[in-house]
Amino acid sequence: MPPAWRLFPKGSLLPHDTSLLAMLVMGLVLAFIGGFIASRLKLPPLVGYLLAGVAVGPFTPGFVGDAALANQLAEIGVILLMFGVGLHFSIKDLVAVRRIAIPGALVQIVVAALLGAGLVHLWGWTTGAGLVFGLALSVASTVVLLRALEQRNTLDSINGRIAVGWLIVEDLVMVLALVLLPALGRALGGEGASGGAGDIALVLLVTLGKVALFLALVLIVGTRAAPWILERVARTGSRELFTLSVLATALGIAFGSAALFGVSFALGAFFAGVILSESDFSHRAAADSLPLQDAFAVLFFVSVGMLFDPGILVREPSAVLAVLAIILAGKSVAAFGIVLAFGYPARTALTVSASLAQIGEFSFILIGLGVTLGLVEAEARDLVLAGALLSITLNPLVFIAFDGFERWLRRRPRLLALLERGGDESHSRLPDAKHSSFRHHAVVVGYGRVGRVVGRMLKSEGLPVILVDKDRRRVEALRERGITAIYGEASTPGILEAADIAQARLLVIATPDGFQTRRIIEIARELNPEIDTAIRTHSEAEVAHLEGQGVGLAIMGARELSFGLAGYALRSLGISKKRVAAIVQKERISGEGGAFERRPDIPPREAPELRQRRGDDEDAG
C-alpha cells in the first residue's frame, strides 16, 4: 500500500504508520488555509476546501494523499453531512411553499437533466451516462444556498423559503436516485451483464421493498426509540455522553441501513436526522454534532478535490464551458420561467434562479456513485467538479448580476408587468414577518435564558417588542404564539433593518459575545444614532469599554449576582432598602472595594440600630 503522505521519508523518527493521522492533519490544515483565503477573497469557503484537495491530489505536484483513506473519511463526511440535512429538514417549510416548490423543483430537475443528457449525447455517451450526468447538474448545493441567502438577509423571506423548499425537493429526489441507481445500474449500461425486463423489475421491486421496510422501521420504531434513549442520556447530565449518543444514532442507523437493508449510508443518515428533527432534542443534537459534522464534511470536500484533474480545463475547455452554461444559464432560465408561470413576482423568480445557479455536495455523491457503478467515466466526474468549482465561485456574481437585471426591469414597467402577469409584490415577505407599523419599540437580540425574561416582562406591560434570534425553530415557535420575531444573526447587515431599528427606542443585547455585540451596536447606531442600549456581557473590561462608548447599561452577570447577594446580606443585617440601593449603586459606579473592607459611613456597630429602623426607612424609600 502506498504511503498516505510523502512527508516522512525512509528512516524517519516516527516508529509506526501515521497514514490516518497524516491524512487528517494535512487535510484539515490545507482546508483551513484554502477556506481562509477563499473567505478573504469574498468566496464561499467550500471553494478553498475543494482547491485544497486538488493541491494534494495525484494530478498536481507535491504531496499526494492516499485516495483509499480519503474515500473512507469522505464516507463519514457524507454520513454526517446527510445527517445534518435530515436534522434541519422541516416538513413545515416544505408544506408552506409546496404549491411552487414541489412542481417547480421537479420540472427544473427534468429540464436540467435533459440538457445534460442531450449535451453528452452529442459526445457519444450512453443513455445511462447521460441520465447520471444530467441529474448531477440539476441539484444545487444546500451549503452554498443557505449561506448566500443568509448573507443577503432573504432566508426568512418568502423568496428564501421558496428557494429552500425547492432545494428540499431536489434533495429528496437525489436521495431516491441514490437508492434506485444501484438497482438499475446494469440496465442503464453499468458494469456486469444486463438482465431482461423481468429481472430488472424484480431487482427494482426487491430494492423498493427493502427501502420501504427500512423506512417503516425508522419512522415507526426510530421516532419513538431514539428520542426515548436521548432523553435518558440527557438526564445523566453528561454532555460528552449525549454527544456520543447522537453520533452513535447517526452512524449506527447509517451502517445498519447498509448492512441489513442494502440502503446507502447517505439515505440511512438522512433519516436518522429526520427522526430527531421533530424531537425536543433536535437543537441540542444539532449543536453537539455540528463541530464533528463540519470537520468531516470539510474532509469530504477535500477528498472530492483530490479526485479532480485540473488538466481537463486545458484539454476540454469547450466541454467545461458547456457544463457551466447549463448550470448558470439553463437551470436559471428554467427556474425563472417556472416561478413566473406560477404567478410570483420577478424578484422571487430572480432570487430562486440565482440560488440554484450552482451545484455541490449531492452532485459529487451522485457522480461518484455513477463512476463506481461504471455508468460514467472519470472524465464525467472531472467535468462535474469543474462545473461545481466555477459555479460556486461565480454564484455571488450571479446574485449581483440578477440584482442589476431586476433594477433594469423596474425601469421598464410594461415589460415587468408582462413578465409577472399580475404578480403581487406582497409575496416578498411572509405575512407573519411583517412589522412595519412598529415605532418607539424595543429590539431584543437573543431569546435565551436572559432574553426570554426581558421579552416576557416587556410584553407583560403591553410594550412593543421585536425579538431577534438565530435559532430558526425558536423564531417559528414565537411567531406561532403571535410574537413578532426576526430570524438571523443581528450582526449581519439587514437583520436589524428588518427589525425596524431606525424607529426603535431601545436595543437590548442579551447575548454575551463581545465581538458580535460591538458590531451590533455599530450597525444600530448607524441606523439610529439616538437609540438607547442595554447590554449583557461576561467581562469587566468589556463593561468598561461599553460604558466608555456611551452605552446606557452594561451588565456583567457575575457582578450583578454579587450585588444581589450583597444587597440581601445588607438588608438581613439591618440596612434599609433605600440605603442598600445607594450602596449597590455606589459600588456599581466605582467598581472598587475588597472583601470585608469597612465603609466609614456605615460602621458595623450601627447595624442593630439600623435593623430596628429598617421598617420605617423602607416605607420612606
Side-chain angles (χ1 to χ4, degrees):
M1 183 176 179
W5 297 89
R6 296 170 186 170
L7 293 172
F8 311 113
K10 188 175 182 179
S12 169
L13 296 177
L14 293 174
H16 53 276
D17 186 16
T18 58
S19 300
L20 179 60
L21 179 61
M23 181 71 204
L24 285 170
V25 171
M26 292 303 297
L28 293 175
V29 169
L30 291 175
F32 161 70
I33 295 173
F36 181 76
I37 294 174
S39 295
R40 297 292 292 177
L41 296 175
K42 306 299 183 183
L43 298 174
L46 177 58
V47 175
Y49 306 153
L50 292 170
L51 291 178
V54 174
V56 297
F59 304 103
T60 54
F63 305 129
V64 177
D66 186 339
L69 269 180
N71 287 336
Q72 293 184 44
L73 293 173
E75 197 68 59
I76 299 177
V78 170
I79 291 173
L80 294 177
L81 194 65
M82 294 304 300
F83 176 68
V85 172
L87 201 57
H88 292 90
F89 177 80
S90 175
I91 297 177
K92 292 180 180 178
D93 285 349
L94 184 57
V95 170
V97 294
R98 64 189 183 279
R99 291 191 178 94
I100 174 65
I102 295 177
L106 293 177
V107 173
Q108 180 255 304
I109 288 173
V110 171
V111 172
L114 289 176
L115 289 174
L119 177 64
V120 299
H121 178 73
L122 298 177
W123 299 340
W125 292 14
T126 64
T127 302
L131 175 64
V132 175
F133 190 77
L135 286 175
L137 298 185
S138 67
V139 59
S141 165
T142 305
V143 176
V144 176
L145 172 70
L146 294 178
R147 182 62 56 84
L149 294 177
E150 285 177 350
Q151 289 177 346
R152 297 172 61 83
N153 188 33
T154 54
L155 184 60
D156 200 35
S157 68
I158 188 62
N159 301 342
R161 296 234 178 154
I162 289 174
V164 171
W166 195 297
L167 195 63
I168 289 174
V169 177
E170 287 190 350
D171 289 350
L172 292 176
V173 172
M174 293 306 117
V175 168
L176 181 62
L178 292 175
V179 172
L180 295 180
L181 269 182
L184 299 176
R186 293 183 179 181
L188 294 174
E191 292 179 351
S194 177
D199 294 334
I200 296 173
L202 179 61
V203 171
L204 189 59
L205 185 63
V206 171
T207 300
L208 292 177
K210 288 182 178 180
V211 172
L213 180 60
F214 165 71
L215 293 181
L217 287 175
V218 167
L219 297 178
I220 296 175
V221 179
T223 52
R224 293 169 174 79
W228 183 85
I229 293 172
L230 292 182
E231 181 181 358
R232 270 46 183 189
V233 174
R235 289 177 180 176
T236 66
S238 173
R239 180 172 181 175
E240 63 271 18
L241 191 60
F242 184 85
T243 302
L244 186 60
S245 67
V246 172
L247 295 176
T249 300
L251 297 174
I253 292 179
F255 184 80
S257 65
L260 300 178
F261 300 97
V263 177
S264 68
F265 288 121
L267 182 66
F270 173 77
F271 279 101
V274 169
I275 65 175
L276 292 180
S277 65
E278 300 300 329
S279 73
D280 295 335
F281 300 98
S282 60
H283 298 302
R284 185 175 173 186
D288 286 1
S289 64
L290 186 60
L292 195 61
Q293 177 186 326
D294 287 345
F296 277 96
V298 166
L299 291 176
F300 164 68
F301 292 120
V302 171
S303 70
V304 169
M306 289 175 60
L307 301 174
F308 176 57
D309 180 7
I312 198 169
L313 300 174
V314 178
R315 297 193 308 269
E316 301 289 346
S318 58
V320 172
L321 290 176
V323 169
L324 189 62
I326 292 176
I327 298 171
L328 296 183
K331 290 174 60 178
S332 295
V333 171
F336 184 79
I338 292 167
V339 175
L340 287 180
F342 277 84
Y344 282 80
R347 181 179 181 81
T348 300
L350 290 171
T351 299
V352 174
S353 299
S355 301
L356 302 177
Q358 39 83 15
I359 59 174
E361 54 273 5
F362 258 119
S363 303
F364 306 148
I365 298 171
L366 193 62
I367 200 67
L369 179 62
V371 173
T372 301
L373 296 175
L375 291 171
V376 293
E377 301 295 331
E379 180 184 1
R381 180 178 58 204
D382 292 336
L383 289 172
V384 169
L385 292 176
L389 277 168
L390 295 174
S391 64
I392 292 171
T393 303
L394 295 174
N395 194 245
L397 300 179
V398 172
F399 271 101
I400 294 173
F402 280 24
D403 285 342
F405 181 61
E406 184 194 1
R407 290 192 294 271
W408 181 83
L409 282 177
R410 297 267 175 218
R411 294 193 296 268
R412 292 160 178 80
R414 291 185 179 179
L415 177 60
L416 183 62
L418 180 63
L419 288 173
E420 293 182 345
R421 292 190 301 175
D424 186 2
E425 185 64 25
S426 64
H427 287 294
S428 62
R429 297 291 298 179
L430 285 174
D432 59 359
K434 290 183 178 179
H435 47 268
S436 58
S437 61
F438 275 79
R439 292 179 62 85
H440 306 300
H441 58 286
V443 175
V444 179
V445 176
Y447 199 69
R449 289 177 297 177
V450 176
R452 185 178 296 112
V453 173
V454 175
R456 184 169 62 243
M457 294 177 70
L458 294 176
K459 293 292 291 184
S460 68
E461 295 298 316
L463 298 172
V465 182
I466 294 180
L467 303 172
V468 178
D469 197 274
K470 58 184 178 182
D471 188 317
R472 187 173 185 180
R473 295 194 177 186
R474 183 180 291 164
V475 168
E476 290 177 350
L478 288 169
R479 289 179 174 174
E480 289 177 359
R481 291 159 47 195
I483 299 173
T484 304
I486 304 297
Y487 167 69
E489 181 66 63
S491 60
T492 302
I495 297 297
L496 289 181
E497 289 94 323
D500 288 333
I501 195 69
Q503 306 296 329
R505 176 179 294 177
L506 172 67
L507 170 66
V508 178
I509 303 179
T511 57
D513 191 324
F515 175 78
Q516 297 288 350
T517 295
R518 296 187 187 191
R519 179 59 184 150
I520 294 170
I521 294 173
E522 289 176 4
I523 296 174
R525 287 181 171 174
E526 287 176 3
L527 299 170
N528 187 347
E530 303 301 323
I531 193 167
D532 193 10
T533 48
I535 313 298
R536 171 196 175 192
T537 182
H538 284 328
S539 165
E540 289 193 11
E542 188 68 15
V543 170
H545 170 81
L546 292 172
E547 289 177 345
Q549 297 297 314
V551 168
L553 175 65
I555 293 180
M556 190 179 76
R559 189 174 69 165
E560 292 302 316
L561 176 62
S562 67
F563 288 159
L565 292 173
Y568 181 85
L570 289 168
R571 292 184 59 189
S572 179
L573 292 173
I575 308 301
S576 70
K577 181 178 179 181
K578 183 177 180 180
R579 185 61 179 154
V580 168
I583 294 171
V584 170
Q585 183 62 19
K586 183 177 180 180
E587 182 69 20
R588 180 180 283 116
I589 294 173
S590 66
E592 299 174 354
F596 305 109
E597 180 180 8
R598 230 187 230 188
R599 291 183 178 275
D601 54 339
I602 314 175
R605 66 175 181 272
E606 293 182 8
E609 300 174 27
L610 291 172
R611 183 186 312 221
Q612 295 173 3
R613 299 197 303 267
R614 180 172 55 184
D616 296 336
D617 288 342
E618 285 182 352
D619 292 338

